Amino acid sequence: MKRVIIILAMVFVSVVAWGQDKSSAGFGLDPSDEAAVAWMRARSDSIRAHRPVIALVLSGGGAKGAATIGALKYMEKYEFPIDMALGTSVGGLLGGFYAIGYSPDYLADLIRSLDWDLVLSDIVDPRFLPRRRIDYNEKFALSFPFYYRDEVNLDLSDFADFTDGRLNLSATAVEDATRLVGDNLLKSLPSGAAYGFNVNQVISSRTVGYSDSTDFFKFPIPFACVSTDIVSGKAKVWHNGSLNLAMRSTMSIPGIYVPARSGNMVLLDGGMRNNFPVDIAKDLGADIVIGIDLINDHPDMSADKIRNIKDVVMGALSMFAGDSYDRSIKALDIHIKPDLTGYNLLSFSSEAVEFMLLRGYRAAEEMAPQLDSLRAVIGPEKMQFKGHRAVDLEGKSVLIDGISITGVGEKDAAYIRSRLYLKDSSFVNSRILGDEVSRIFGGGSFDYVNYELLGTGEPYKLHIYGQKGPVHRFGVGFRLDTEEIVTAVLNLGLNTNSVRGSSLDLTTRISPNPLFDMVYRFVPSKGPAFNLRNSIRFTDRNSVLFGENYFNVSFWDIKQELYLSAINLLGYNVSAGIGNDYHRLRRIAGTTVVGDYDSSLDLRNFQNVFVSARKNTLNSSYFPETGVSAGLRGELISNPFHKGGVKTFGTVSADAVLPVSFWRFSFVPQCYMRFIMGGNIPLYYANIVGGDFGGRYADQQIPFMGLNNATFKRNNIGVGRVDLRYRAASNHYITVTGNASWDFINFRQIGSGELAWGVGAGYAYNTIVGPIKFNLHYSSITGGLGGYLAVGLNF
């Protein structure tokens, strides 16, 4: 992580330094600039005939934009006729909204209501993630998407020789290996933490009526904003084109958002070139410039104050931007500068937002004498909003007629269209459109997906567009715990992020209980996905390093499955298919087996037919606060070659997790059930409970607080569990757990079943590589106190 921060810092500073040799202000990147400037100057001349031309200029500052809104709120009382609005970064975002009709009151409510942790990320509601992607995210702490370039050709015959008993790499081999890394891995790495999926929706849902490629100077309030083109090192002044792209690019903070792209330009936050575009307002003919300034004063650059990479970067930026900022301040007529000491571009807490709104209001109020003087100079003329106001899809549904999809080929576009719930003629709002693009983006095939409603009135045309991302991926996960000491999992996915077609997933678990899993998947243009799976699993619990062992067995399990998936039924992901299960029970030593099970050690080969359904909308796999997870699976199993004749039996299993949260507490009830219909069941299919998470040693294993490893239970079992969790601080959790099980051989003997119970209390800290957790527990199964320590993900 430290290296990543340093690289981002170096790029950030280098781009700014590169731009110092270029034209740092004004226009010049687009052929239309000269004509646009001339048009605005002529417009200013016509206004100047009866009063001064007034410009509103808003600086960048991230979360500190709340103060800008507060200042605008105070200025409303003057009803100044604003002739142009210009801004950079958050100033460009707010200036754009202001120019198309949104009031300061609306903007204040907006900045209060948004979940900024979500807005600053590409997080998608779990409802729109395919089951296979949820499973993947739960197991792999690090994932590296990558491309594969066919033109990278590593000819092994030319790669090396062993002359003189040494390995000698050829020059061609070194060059090809460099190209392999550069074209496949390095070019696949993201250029920011987020592509802006959620912030794009905030913009798109509020710019309806102004989403076409258009002239910003013809808005109700003429508007321009500034981005930085890192190709040329110049400022890009947006005055026409896509308003959504302009507003998104002006606030592409390096390291937080991936740069926006337009033509040959790669666009970052405009603050890198011109964070307070007063000079552009003057270029366009402004006589009076009202500036709302959120920029920090020059930091103390004395030697003892420069101690870390942050100090170096801020010092460099201050050095590069100082002259431009100083010129802007000198050109201002009314300078509104709130005191925002102690706040920064990420201060989005509700308390910080309210405080900065007030600070902005007070800063404008302190400028009342100058504002009064300006009102006297202007005379009685007041603000007249000319033109239509933008439509806010948060509070209104509108009619669309026609849907277009770009950014993919015709076949992929047809596939995406087939997955849309919307029809060509439909009423839509922000929730409906957000769900549609979330469903597309959640599939993992795109770097970004967004929408626009084109046209100036109903019916609008819905335009969905995106950019396909790397189709392959490599994932790594690990866990350290007191059961298996060290466990790692690796995944190679080929074409797994493609929109449709064939893909191959290869997963291996490296542990005392290893597993290899291979899944071939074909997604057709229409209908469910076709899957072919082969897995090999070896479980050996004969060597235990910590505590008692209630599951002292070892066995092989080799599965082949052919099934259909991605069948959506009432919000559940349904799969159905057939399989073959070969298993060999190698050893049972000192293990108590209860229930009607056959524990002979001979080889077994069973065929099965199965159907399963699962729904998962939990907001977190490990510390859920909202959503639901529920699953149901039925299986009919048969061995036609059984020595006693055809042996057939069935299993039904179900589980549910339903968290309820209030303040910092989460109440998480859970239930698990599994019923086996038939007698003398092969031991491999037996009910098993125990451990911190399910499926560790066998697919049907049910977690149980109070028992670290596992133990056998009778043919029918139900487990109820309740977690009461308290979030002590960000990522810190304290949990108290109680669970109980009831198991019995058949329903005639349900009353004589056996009760087992367990309790525990633990602490967990959630990290980027998975939770660090520790608990102490007690159960009626062990009859003693136990503990569990783990770092990493569950797999």
Side-chain angles (χ1 to χ4, degrees), residues 677-708:
M677 290 149 285
N680 201 27
I681 305 301
L683 190 63
Y684 178 75
Y685 294 97
N687 286 324
I688 302 168
V689 301
D692 184 59
F693 59 93
R696 183 165 192 160
Y697 304 120
D699 290 342
Q700 71 270 27
Q701 180 180 343
I702 297 171
F704 194 84
M705 174 62 75
L707 175 63
N708 272 346

Side-chain angles (χ1 to χ4, degrees), residues 36 45 55 75 93 113 181 208 217 230 317 329 400 498 517 528 563 594 631 704 708 716 720 746 753 793:
D45 288 341
M75 289 173 55
L93 183 71
S113 65
V181 173
V208 178
F217 288 162
I230 61 176
L317 292 177
I329 296 304
I400 62 167
S498 58
D517 191 68
Y563 60 97
V594 296
F704 194 84
N708 272 346
N716 301 284
N746 56 58
L793 301 174

Side-chain angles (χ1 to χ4, degrees), residues 232-248:
S232 66
K234 294 182 180 180
K236 159 64 179 174
V237 180
W238 288 93
H239 58 86
N240 63 6
S242 167
L243 176 61
N244 293 8
L245 179 59
M247 294 170 73
R248 161 68 174 83

Side-chain angles (χ1 to χ4, degrees), residues 122-151:
D122 287 336
I123 295 173
V124 178
D125 191 310
R127 291 181 297 138
F128 305 113
L129 297 180
R131 181 66 215 171
R132 59 190 178 88
R133 194 172 181 196
I134 293 175
D135 291 342
Y136 183 88
N137 293 340
E138 289 177 350
K139 297 177 182 177
F140 298 97
L142 300 174
S143 183
F144 305 93
F146 66 94
Y147 297 100
Y148 178 75
R149 307 296 190 197
D150 291 336
E151 64 269 19

